[in-house]
């Protein structure tokens, strides 16, 4: 099997079988973002306690890249400190710029590495990660 085929399967698996899709009823930071150029929308919810992302959920609609990226991101950040989560977002941005970045703890993210060959799709892949950054910043601002 070609690596591209494997990556495509990983992306479609997250799209068809999303992880952490849904909403929390209480005590969360909520960030709504959209990508007007292609219509992707996400509502990300984070449960942050004592500087740790305890849980993350999302709802939204969009292409397979944006929704699978959200699924992967929510899996990757659970249990991480807010600093570690922001570092993951930074590393993901580097991956989208074509840098060779490894995600040892959560290799599924690497399946999105080919997106950088399609500049118009980078915004799709980074939408959830931008919501993560914004959510963490809002949470930190609210707890100062």
């Amino acid at each position: 099997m070609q690596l591209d085929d494997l990556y495509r399967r990983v992306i479609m698996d997250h799209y068809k079988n999303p992880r952490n899709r849904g909403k929390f009823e209480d005590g969360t930071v909520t960030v709504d973002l959209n990508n007007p150029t292609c219509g992707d929308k996400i509502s990300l919810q984070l449960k942050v306690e004592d500087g740790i992302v305890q849980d993350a959920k999302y709802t939204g609609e969009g292409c397979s890249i944006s929704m699978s990226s959200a699924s992967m991101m929510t899996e990757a950040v659970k249990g991480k400190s807010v600093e570690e989560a922001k570092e993951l977002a930074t590393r993901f941005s580097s991956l989208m710029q074509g840098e060779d970045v490894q995600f040892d703890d959560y290799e599924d993210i690497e399946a999105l590495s080919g997106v950088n060959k399609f500049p118009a799709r980078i915004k799709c892949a980074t939408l959830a990660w931008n919501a993560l950054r914004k959510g963490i910043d809002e949470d930190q601002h609210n707890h100062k």
Side-chain angles (χ1 to χ4, degrees):
M1 182 185 310
Q2 296 285 327
L3 190 57
D4 285 348
D5 291 338
L6 175 63
Y7 283 173
R8 204 169 293 118
R9 286 184 185 193
V10 170
I11 291 168
M12 291 311 294
D13 179 53
H14 276 272
Y15 182 64
K16 291 178 180 176
N17 305 295
R19 283 62 152 181
N20 307 304
R21 191 165 177 86
K23 290 185 173 188
F24 295 116
E25 296 301 317
D26 61 341
T28 62
V29 174
T30 301
V31 176
D32 297 313
L33 287 182
N34 66 49
N35 179 356
T37 56
C38 69
D40 295 334
K41 296 177 183 173
I42 187 169
S43 179
L44 176 67
Q45 292 185 305
L46 300 171
K47 280 193 177 192
V48 179
E49 296 172 16
D50 300 322
I52 303 294
V53 179
Q54 298 292 332
D55 209 347
K57 287 192 179 281
Y58 73 98
T59 57
E61 55 190 47
C63 68
S64 59
I65 291 172
S66 69
M67 294 295 102
S68 60
S69 183
S71 174
M72 293 174 193
M73 183 273 296
T74 56
E75 283 286 285
V77 300
K78 284 198 282 186
K80 300 274 193 271
S81 70
V82 292
E83 292 81 15
E84 289 171 318
K86 283 178 89 169
E87 173 60 24
L88 277 173
T90 299
R91 288 173 49 213
F92 187 77
S93 291
S94 296
L95 182 71
M96 291 299 101
Q97 298 305 314
E99 294 179 30
D100 185 21
V101 180
Q102 304 297 309
F103 291 87
D104 300 326
D105 292 347
Y106 201 70
E107 294 175 357
D108 281 9
I109 294 170
E110 294 171 22
L112 293 166
S113 62
V115 170
N116 65 33
K117 295 180 185 98
F118 307 95
R121 303 306 298 270
I122 291 173
K123 286 183 180 178
C124 304
T126 57
L127 184 64
W129 296 89
N130 291 337
L132 171 69
R133 275 197 194 100
K134 186 174 179 185
I136 288 171
D137 289 345
E138 285 179 16
D139 181 67
Q140 289 176 328
H141 178 75
N142 291 338
H143 289 97
K144 280 188 178 179

